[in-house]
């Protein structure tokens, strides 16, 4: 198997895992995504570019008022099948939204922990020009218990690290908080998240 074939197999496996997890019957019955949908909407993101959109969970939370980008073509295909605007980076580059100031918010949810700090900086620098002046950068990452659930996680990105990245990019702090429970729960509750919101000058 070539390196390219191996990467494709990993992408397909990751997509299948996301679909399986999101489709769990107990999660559907208990509406476990409702608090996270509420939290994202209360940040009033407006027209959003989600980098690392996966199979479209946050695109759904945003009511379709968003465009998603993901390097995994399998998750992009699933998101499209669900009716969302989702593209690989190469496809996105050819769209009408690939221009300066096109978006009110830039969202990375459960993406930063999959890379090193320098890679995160590079990724954000690639897309920040598409965020309008005064627009928001919203970063959401898992806390300790959630970080341990995925072997593809690389670096725990807590609020201090996220704020450091935003400061280096020249962004202005708006709000940093733990959700849905206080920070202390993050060591035992896998779905506690760090949420960092910044504003582009």
């Amino acid at each position: 198997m070539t390196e390219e074939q191996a990467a494709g197999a990993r992408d397909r496996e990751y997509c299948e895992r996301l679909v399986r997890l999101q489709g769990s019957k107990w999660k559907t019955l208990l509406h476990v995504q409702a608090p996270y949908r509420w939290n994202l909407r209360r940040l009033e993101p407006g027209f959003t570019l989600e980098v690392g959109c996966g199979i479209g969970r946050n695109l759904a939370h945003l009511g379709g008022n968003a465009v998603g980008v993901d390097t995994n073509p399998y998750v992009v295909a699933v998101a499209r099948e669900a009716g969302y605007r989702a593209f690989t980076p190469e496809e996105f580059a050819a769209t009408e939204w690939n221009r300066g100031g096109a978006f009110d918010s830039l969202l990375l949810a459960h993406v930063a922990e999959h890379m090193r700090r320098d890679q995160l900086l590079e990724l954000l620098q690639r897309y920040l020009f598409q965020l309008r002046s005064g627009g928001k950068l919203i970063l959401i990452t898992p806390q300790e218990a959630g970080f341990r659930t995925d072997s593809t996680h690389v670096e725990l990105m807590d609020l201090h690290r996220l704020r450091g990245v935003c400061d280096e990019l020249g962004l202005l702090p708006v709000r940093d908080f733990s959700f849905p429970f206080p920070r202390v729960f993050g060591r035992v509750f896998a779905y506690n998240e760090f949420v960092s919101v910044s504003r582009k000058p």
Side-chain angles (χ1 to χ4, degrees), residues 36-51 57-67 85 101-109 130-140 174-175 177 195-200:
Y36 302 94
R37 179 174 61 245
W38 171 82
N39 183 53
L40 183 56
R41 289 180 177 179
R42 74 170 170 158
L43 297 176
E44 299 182 339
F47 187 46
T48 301
L49 173 61
E50 183 181 13
V51 177
R57 183 176 65 191
N58 287 318
L59 299 180
H61 291 348
L62 294 168
N65 190 31
V67 175
R85 290 174 291 206
F103 295 93
D104 299 310
S105 288
L106 177 60
L107 170 66
L108 277 77
Q130 288 149 341
L131 182 64
R132 67 169 175 81
S133 178
K136 298 171 186 172
L137 171 64
I138 302 170
L139 301 174
I140 302 174
V174 174
R175 186 180 179 196
F177 62 100
V195 183
S196 179
V197 183
S198 302
R199 182 171 59 83
K200 184 178 180 180

Side-chain angles (χ1 to χ4, degrees), residues 8-27:
R10 287 193 298 270
D11 282 350
R12 181 184 287 110
E13 181 181 342
Y14 192 75
C15 177
E16 290 170 352
R17 177 176 178 266
L18 289 180
V19 171
R20 187 170 59 251
L21 290 173
Q22 186 159 310
S24 297
K25 189 173 182 180
W26 70 270
K27 290 185 177 181

